[in-house]
Amino acid sequence: PSKLVKSIPKYIKRSVVTMFRIFNTYRPLSFFMIVGSIPLFAGLIMGGRWVFMYMGQGQALHLPSLILTSILIILGSQVFIFGLIADLISVNRQLLEDIQKKTREIYYTNNQK
């Protein structure tokens, strides 16, 4: 028996969560684009289905599917926007780390003289 890993499923779960967090931290735009594309494409497919049915029957039937289509498209768009904001925050974090590194280098070179 291992003292580090109590069970393999718990270890796998913890590792997958860690991988998602790292991917989300260092590549937020691609992470949110992948996550946001799922509801967006589902909404577009359902919207296309609704338009096809509307053209065929000439009546605005299947209103619940139209509402679900709207919700999915809005959800996908919001996740894309969250991805853009997360990417901007990531770039800002990288710039702040560079500034902090350069500031420390200047500080240490001035104090060693």
Side-chain angles (χ1 to χ4, degrees):
S2 173
K3 292 182 181 180
L4 297 175
V5 179
K6 303 234 185 243
S7 71
I8 295 203
K10 286 183 182 180
Y11 174 75
I12 291 172
K13 180 183 173 188
R14 191 173 65 211
S15 296
V16 167
V17 168
T18 302
M19 285 188 280
F20 276 123
R21 290 182 72 194
I22 289 171
F23 188 67
N24 188 15
T25 301
Y26 292 103
R27 294 189 179 265
L29 186 60
S30 35
F31 176 79
F32 282 104
M33 290 293 180
I34 291 169
V35 171
S37 64
I38 296 168
L40 184 68
F41 287 134
L44 290 175
I45 289 170
M46 289 182 66
R49 177 184 164 269
W50 188 85
V51 167
F52 180 73
M53 293 181 91
Y54 178 75
M55 293 293 190
Q57 296 175 355
Q59 298 175 358
L61 298 176
H62 305 285
L63 192 60
S65 69
L66 183 61
I67 293 171
L68 182 62
T69 297
S70 302
I71 290 171
L72 288 173
I73 290 173
I74 290 170
L75 181 68
S77 301
Q78 284 181 340
V79 172
F80 281 149
I81 292 170
F82 292 155
L84 290 173
I85 292 170
D87 190 52
L88 290 174
I89 291 171
S90 174
V91 169
N92 187 31
R93 178 185 49 82
Q94 291 171 355
L95 290 173
L96 288 174
E97 287 174 358
D98 290 342
I99 291 170
Q100 185 179 24
K101 180 181 176 186
K102 289 179 183 179
T103 305
R104 285 183 180 170
E105 288 174 358
I106 292 170
Y107 177 76
Y108 287 129
T109 55
N110 289 339
N111 284 338
Q112 289 180 355
K113 293 180 181 180

